[in-house]
Amino acid sequence: MTDSGKTQRSDGEQGQGQERERAGSQGRGDSQGRVDARGPGDPARRSSAGPVLTKQRQGAPAPPDWQQWQPQRSEPPRWLTEIQPRTAAPIRVATLWSVLASALLSALLLGDGLGLNLLIVAVPAALAAYFAAETAGRRPRVWTLAWAFGGIALLAVPVLRDAGLPTFLAIVSALALGSLALHGCRTWPGVVFGPLGLLGSLGPGTLWGWRGLRARAGGARGRVMPVVRAVAVAAVLLIVFGTLFANADAAFADLLGQLSPDVSVGDGPWRFVLFAIGLVGALGAAHTAAAPLRWDRITVTPGRARGRMEWALPLIVLNLLFAAFIAIQLAVLFGGYDKVLRETGLTYAEYARQGFWQLLWATLLVLLVIGLARRWAPRDGAGDATLVRAVLGVLCVLTLVVVAAALRRMDLYVDAYGLTRLRVSVAAMELWLGVVIVLILVAGAVGGRWLPRAVAASAGAAVLAYGLISPDALVAERNVQRYERSHKIDIQYFQELSADAAPALDRLPEPLRSCALAGIARNLGDASEPWYATSWSERRAREIVATLGVDASSTCYGLGRQLDRP
């Protein structure tokens, strides 16, 4: 039994040793490149191959990491990603023709001045934007139409008035309202940044138009060439027969000269620049209509809500200060200015001049205070909402009284010194600020989702009224009336006014009339300016000067009374 057990153990040990030798020989064979008969999923193969591969990787040099030397590209801000427009639909043929018409009209008409030509150029540009928006599936809404018609109305100011500042403000405001119409903004970020969004579409719009033109040029040659030939033949016929008829009749030649633009070879570079401006501008407007920047996606998070005491106490103190100032103003109004002037030692004119600018700044700062107060207002239920409406509502009402006091100071100022352009402008600004405060007051009572667009619309309406009234015409009218009452007038100041002031100045007696109209007569320029670049005020001033004439021999030095012009 013992021998047999030893024999069995020796046989088992001998078998185990043979198995280890086979395993070792197979492992050595693997290291020498012999094929392993085991499958790829065998655990023994994975365990034997792993150390060999690891050893080979450790011996090889690591490749250089070139990425660590590359500049790291930072991610754009989230709001910039959110406002990006969708891809614009391919430009249609009607849009391309409208853009081309706008560019040609810009080159032909805008080089002679500003007037009706701005409206003429704007019509095909607006059609290009309409066609592009229709292709993109956008439909006009009520506010879109309001912005569009407001912009067109503002372009009527250069047609009617000659003054520089109202014309400039009207053109800038028309572009801003047109951009709002193209973007369709509703929120405060949209209304603030929407008027500037058209500038960002000039480059993409040009590329968009070029790609659309190239895509249609290949397959549309059969349709385009007949149109080109027809236009060329029509132009030749107009030139030939127009020249013959102009030489045959002087009246027809005069009419033809007034209607047709005066284009010379020397104006070629300038006309080309105007063509490029019209082309890029119309393409930018069309691209904006097809794929506008989505400014309304910018979210303005409210500030951290403050406690009632921390928020309300400063505003209540400010309301009490406003109330005390208004009480003193009412006491002065009913008690008369004589007592105030005696106690302060100021003259009537100095008292009138003293307060207007301070009250104007107070009105502007109140708007800032209201905006910050709304940002940090308490928002813990109906009680906090009532407190916010009450405190800010009282502040708005008191500010309206301050606006009325500022305008009263301006009226005193004008009585003492007369009316100037600057006084008209700042008074108009104060009036518009009063309208904005009224809108804020109404929004606090009924809700304010409409407030951003209402403020923008009130600004456009204010610029339109400012241009149609014309500060130069108002200045001349008020100062002529003042001369008729007190025989005080500043003749030298009238030399700076535009043609809008001519009808009022024509009522002055000679030699004041000739001295007042001398500056306007010098600035009228050549009477042969084209009809589309001449305002109605300028034509009327030419008629006034031509009817009674201006006596150039009049001695104007020392006439009237030189008044203070701050």
Side-chain angles (χ1 to χ4, degrees):
M1 181 175 181
T2 303
D3 295 336
S4 62
K6 291 180 179 179
T7 304
Q8 291 175 358
R9 285 196 300 272
S10 62
D11 294 339
E13 291 173 358
Q14 184 179 2
Q16 292 176 0
Q18 293 175 354
E19 289 177 0
R20 285 194 296 269
E21 289 178 0
R22 286 194 298 267
S25 63
Q26 290 172 358
R28 289 189 297 270
D30 292 341
S31 65
Q32 295 173 2
R34 290 192 295 269
V35 178
D36 192 354
R38 301 175 196 175
D42 195 340
R45 180 181 179 182
R46 291 196 301 269
S47 63
S48 62
V52 176
L53 294 176
T54 303
K55 185 176 181 180
Q56 290 177 352
R57 290 195 189 98
Q58 290 177 352
D65 185 11
W66 298 107
Q67 297 296 329
Q68 64 178 341
W69 305 105
Q70 299 295 326
Q72 299 297 324
R73 299 179 62 182
S74 59
E75 294 293 331
R78 182 179 177 182
W79 67 268
L80 187 60
T81 304
E82 291 179 347
I83 67 172
Q84 290 302 312
R86 60 177 182 269
T87 303
I91 190 169
R92 57 191 289 190
V93 177
T95 305
L96 288 173
W97 281 113
S98 299
V99 168
L100 180 60
S102 181
L104 288 174
L105 290 173
S106 298
L108 294 175
L109 304 181
L110 294 185
D112 299 310
L114 299 179
L116 186 61
N117 47 11
L118 286 175
L119 272 174
I120 297 173
V121 171
V123 169
L127 287 176
Y130 172 77
F131 292 141
E134 187 180 38
T135 305
R138 300 182 66 196
R139 297 292 180 268
R141 299 181 179 180
V142 175
W143 277 102
T144 303
L145 297 176
W147 301 134
F149 285 114
I152 293 174
L154 284 166
L155 288 181
V157 173
V159 180
L160 300 175
R161 296 302 180 188
D162 183 55
L165 180 60
T167 298
F168 172 77
L169 293 177
I171 294 174
V172 172
S173 301
L175 291 174
L177 294 187
S179 184
L180 285 177
L182 297 174
H183 285 87
C185 300
R186 299 184 300 273
T187 62
W188 278 115
V191 170
V192 172
F193 296 109
L196 305 176
L198 188 60
L199 299 177
S201 295
L202 299 180
T206 304
L207 296 176
W208 175 63
W210 174 249
R211 288 194 297 266
L213 183 63
R214 289 186 59 185
R216 286 165 172 78
R221 292 179 181 176
R223 296 190 300 270
V224 173
M225 290 309 297
V227 176
V228 173
R229 287 193 294 266
V231 171
V233 171
V236 171
L237 294 176
L238 284 175
I239 293 173
V240 172
F241 286 94
T243 303
L244 292 175
F245 290 147
N247 292 329
D249 187 84
F252 181 79
D254 182 65
L255 177 62
L256 189 64
Q258 292 180 0
L259 294 179
S260 61
D262 186 12
V263 180
S264 62
V265 178
D267 294 337
W270 173 235
R271 301 287 179 176
F272 178 77
V273 170
L274 293 175
F275 178 87
I277 293 174
L279 182 70
V280 173
L283 282 174
H287 183 267
T288 304
L293 290 170
R294 292 171 283 190
W295 296 105
D296 285 340
R297 293 192 174 188
I298 299 178
T299 56
V300 180
T301 58
R304 184 173 64 87
R306 308 291 177 175
R308 291 188 179 183
M309 179 63 66
E310 181 183 3
W311 180 86
L313 181 60
L315 295 177
I316 292 175
V317 171
L318 182 62
N319 286 341
L320 293 176
L321 179 63
F322 270 62
F325 175 80
I326 292 169
I328 293 176
Q329 295 300 301
L330 293 176
V332 172
L333 180 63
F334 289 106
Y337 293 97
D338 295 337
K339 181 180 179 182
V340 176
L341 298 180
R342 286 196 305 269
E343 293 178 354
T344 60
L346 299 174
T347 64
Y348 183 80
E350 290 172 343
Y351 180 78
R353 190 197 320 198
Q354 183 186 47
F356 174 79
W357 294 102
Q358 290 83 350
L359 297 181
L360 177 63
W361 278 107
T363 307
L364 288 170
L365 290 176
V366 164
L367 294 177
L368 178 62
V369 169
I370 292 174
L372 296 177
R374 289 292 302 174
R375 178 174 175 80
W376 290 308
R379 298 181 289 272
D380 235 1
D384 285 344
T386 303
L387 175 66
V388 170
R389 284 197 297 267
V391 174
L392 294 183
V394 171
L395 181 59
C396 289
V397 171
L398 295 176
T399 306
L400 287 177
V401 181
V402 171
V403 170
L407 293 176
R408 176 56 181 163
R409 290 290 184 95
M410 177 55 68
D411 188 51
L412 297 176
Y413 200 7
V414 171
D415 286 341
Y417 290 122
L419 194 61
T420 62
R421 289 171 170 173
L422 179 61
R423 293 162 199 170
V424 174
S425 300
V426 295
M429 180 70 175
E430 184 73 15
L431 278 173
W432 177 68
L433 291 176
V435 171
V436 172
I437 291 173
V438 170
L439 292 175
I440 293 174
L441 192 61
V442 175
V446 301
R449 294 186 61 184
W450 49 269
L451 183 60
R453 290 176 289 185
V455 171
S458 68
V463 173
L464 179 61
Y466 179 77
L468 294 180
I469 292 174
S470 179
D472 286 11
L474 187 60
V475 165
E477 183 67 31
R478 289 291 300 270
N479 281 283
V480 169
Q481 293 176 357
R482 187 169 179 271
Y483 170 77
E484 294 171 350
R485 295 193 309 268
S486 62
H487 294 283
K488 297 178 181 179
I489 197 168
D490 185 2
I491 288 295
Q492 298 299 322
Y493 185 71
F494 293 148
Q495 308 295 316
E496 306 171 7
L497 300 181
S498 65
D500 300 339
L505 299 181
D506 190 43
R507 303 203 314 261
L508 290 172
E510 291 290 356
L512 293 177
R513 175 188 173 276
S514 294
C515 292
L517 291 174
I520 296 176
R522 286 193 305 269
N523 295 329
L524 284 178
D526 190 2
S528 62
E529 291 183 359
W531 57 273
Y532 51 80
T534 306
S535 66
W536 176 68
S537 291
E538 191 173 352
R539 291 194 296 270
R540 184 177 55 177
R542 281 201 180 99
E543 294 176 358
I544 291 174
V545 172
T547 301
L548 297 178
V550 174
D551 188 2
S553 62
S554 298
T555 302
C556 301
Y557 181 77
L559 287 179
R561 180 179 176 183
Q562 188 75 17
L563 300 179
D564 184 71
R565 300 189 217 163

